[in-house]
């Protein structure tokens, strides 16, 4: 595919699908998507499988109900999306970022080459702000965050929303954010606990949910007290569909900066655990004969 992306438009009334190539990036695709809801997925295994597909279907169903009053269960979206994913992924090569937009009249799916972070770690900037209605992936948030995205200038990879009056952190513009604190003298990752924003104050991203599941599996304590206490943080990281688990090496706030340990044992454990689960937690869309 020589252009930036492939777009499939499915019309609810006619049941017809139109296909065209586009120069739109994923961001441009969402900004021009009108009103409705969205979700962003990724492929693994060279574009053959979609990671955490069932989680995305559930989130799409929930967001469609909250924003557009829809009543469709996840199975409805599976039946609708599966042939579109097969068609799109049969036409592209390598890993793809898949953005699904749902309005009242149509469903649109964009396939664009997935480019991971340019480095193994990242910088984040703490900025005052809070997301309204964080439980739904409403396209209006894509427009509301646009001004804050101007603050993402290399080497900063993400803006994390905080309340300076309460000294609490929430989430990134397109990610979830975690901090890590030491709990004792134990060796390895068991000497740390995870600090998270309360789940009712942020969008529970698919990778965030997987990280919390890993913590439950491995007996890692999670504290939902998101105080901005940089002097107590032993590390920090962001999670998202494209980043998976991306360690933070520097935190910028105002005119100040603070380094944190990007190689923290707990962060490394969670990063490896998520990466190891990419095949187990993904669904086969395209088999070898069709790809």
């Amino acid at each position: 595919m020589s252009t930036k992306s492939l777009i499939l438009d499915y019309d609810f009334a006619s049941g017809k699908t139109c296909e065209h190539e586009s120069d739109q990036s994923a961001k441009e695709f969402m900004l021009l998507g009108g009103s409705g809801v969205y979700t962003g997925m990724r492929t693994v295994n060279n574009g053959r499988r979609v990671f955490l597909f069932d989680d995305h279907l559930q989130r799409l169903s929930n967001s469609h109900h909250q924003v557009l009053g829809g009543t469709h269960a996840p199975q409805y979206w599976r039946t609708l999306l599966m042939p579109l994913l097969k068609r799109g992924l049969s036409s592209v090569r390598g890993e793809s970022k898949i953005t699904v937009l749902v309005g009242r009249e149509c469903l649109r799916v964009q396939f664009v080459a997935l480019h991971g972070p340019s480095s193994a770690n990242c910088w984040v900037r703490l900025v005052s702000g809070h997301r309204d209605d964080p439980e739904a992936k409403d396209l209006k948030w894509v427009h509301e965050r646009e001004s804050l995205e101007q603050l993402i200038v290399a080497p900063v990879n993400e803006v994390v929303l905080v309340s300076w009056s309460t000294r609490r952190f929430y989430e990134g513009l397109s990610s979830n954010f975690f901090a890590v604190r030491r709990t004792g003298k134990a060796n390895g990752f068991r000497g740390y606990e995870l600090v998270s924003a309360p789940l009712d104050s942020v969008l529970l991203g698919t990778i965030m949910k997987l990280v919390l599941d890993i913590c439950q599996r491995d007996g890692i304590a999670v504290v939902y007290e998101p105080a901005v206490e940089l002097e107590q943080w032993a590390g920090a990281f962001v999670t998202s569909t494209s980043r998976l688990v991306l360690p933070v090496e520097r935190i910028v706030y105002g005119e100040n900066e603070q380094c944190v340990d990007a190689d923290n044992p707990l962060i490394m454990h969670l990063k490896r655990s998520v990466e190891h689960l990419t095949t187990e937690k993904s669904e086969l869309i395209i088999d070898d004969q069709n790809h």
Side-chain angles (χ1 to χ4, degrees):
M1 192 169 56
S2 59
T3 52
K4 284 185 180 179
S5 66
L6 174 71
I7 297 174
L8 301 180
D9 293 328
Y10 175 83
D11 181 74
F12 289 128
S14 67
K16 294 182 178 179
T17 301
C18 297
E19 175 181 327
H20 66 277
E21 294 181 336
S22 172
D23 288 329
Q24 290 179 356
S25 66
K27 177 182 175 181
E28 292 166 339
F29 179 63
M30 289 190 291
L31 284 171
L32 297 172
S35 61
V37 299
Y38 70 99
T39 193
M41 300 181 276
R42 66 170 292 158
T43 63
V44 295
N45 290 76
N46 197 33
R48 297 170 56 242
R49 308 178 72 95
V50 170
F51 191 36
L52 299 173
F53 187 42
D54 282 337
D55 288 0
H56 285 289
L57 294 173
Q58 184 63 61
R59 186 162 69 180
L60 191 61
S61 178
N62 293 345
S63 296
H64 190 252
H65 172 70
Q66 293 168 11
V67 177
L68 298 176
T71 58
H72 298 304
Q75 182 59 42
Y76 169 84
W77 298 109
R78 169 182 286 276
T79 302
L80 192 60
L81 278 172
M82 188 61 80
L84 299 177
L85 295 180
K86 287 180 180 291
R87 178 171 172 175
L89 293 177
S90 295
S91 302
V92 300
R93 291 294 179 266
E95 305 298 3
S96 296
K97 179 176 182 179
I98 304 168
T99 304
V100 179
L101 310 183
V102 181
R104 296 192 181 278
E105 298 179 355
C106 69
L107 178 148
R108 310 189 71 205
V109 187
Q110 182 200 47
F111 303 83
V112 64
L114 177 65
H115 300 292
S118 58
S119 67
N121 308 317
C122 74
W123 293 28
V124 299
R125 180 182 293 276
L126 306 185
V127 174
S128 179
H130 185 229
R131 178 175 178 170
D132 295 328
D133 193 18
E135 296 181 0
K137 296 210 75 171
D138 192 329
L139 276 169
K140 71 178 182 180
W141 169 241
V142 177
H143 294 272
E144 291 170 355
R145 74 188 185 193
E146 189 176 11
S147 61
L148 291 174
E149 288 179 331
Q150 304 304 313
L151 301 174
I152 302 177
V153 178
V156 173
N157 177 274
E158 178 64 300
V159 164
V160 176
L161 302 176
V162 302
S163 168
W164 291 120
S165 61
T166 61
R167 303 288 296 181
R168 291 165 59 93
F169 68 80
Y170 295 104
E171 60 191 320
L173 300 183
S174 61
S175 70
N176 291 109
F177 178 79
F178 295 91
V180 172
R181 292 191 306 215
R182 177 172 282 281
T183 59
K185 298 181 180 180
N187 293 326
F189 69 85
R190 298 193 183 282
Y192 299 89
E193 65 183 3
L194 197 62
V195 184
S196 170
L199 300 186
D200 62 357
S201 69
V202 298
L203 177 73
L204 178 60
T206 53
I207 307 301
M208 179 185 191
K209 180 176 180 295
L210 183 57
V211 164
L212 295 176
D213 288 344
I214 292 169
C215 288
Q216 184 176 26
R217 180 196 72 186
D218 294 345
I220 299 165
V222 181
V223 181
Y224 296 97
E225 298 174 359
V228 180
E229 300 171 327
L230 300 183
E231 67 282 356
Q232 295 188 28
W233 290 357
F237 62 96
V238 294
T239 63
S240 71
T241 295
S242 58
R243 301 174 182 94
L244 297 181
V245 172
L246 183 62
V248 172
E249 65 179 29
R250 192 177 295 259
I251 299 171
V252 182
Y253 53 105
E255 300 300 320
N256 304 306
E257 298 178 4
Q258 178 161 320
C259 294
V260 290
D261 183 11
D263 296 320
N264 174 271
L266 177 54
I267 298 175
M268 291 297 99
H269 172 73
L270 294 171
K271 178 180 174 66
R272 288 191 295 266
S273 296
V274 168
E275 291 170 351
H276 289 164
L277 288 170
T278 53
T279 298
E280 178 184 333
K281 296 288 186 178
S282 63
E283 182 159 341
L284 183 67
I285 306 295
I286 301 293
D287 60 31
D288 291 326
Q289 294 179 340
N290 296 322
H291 198 243

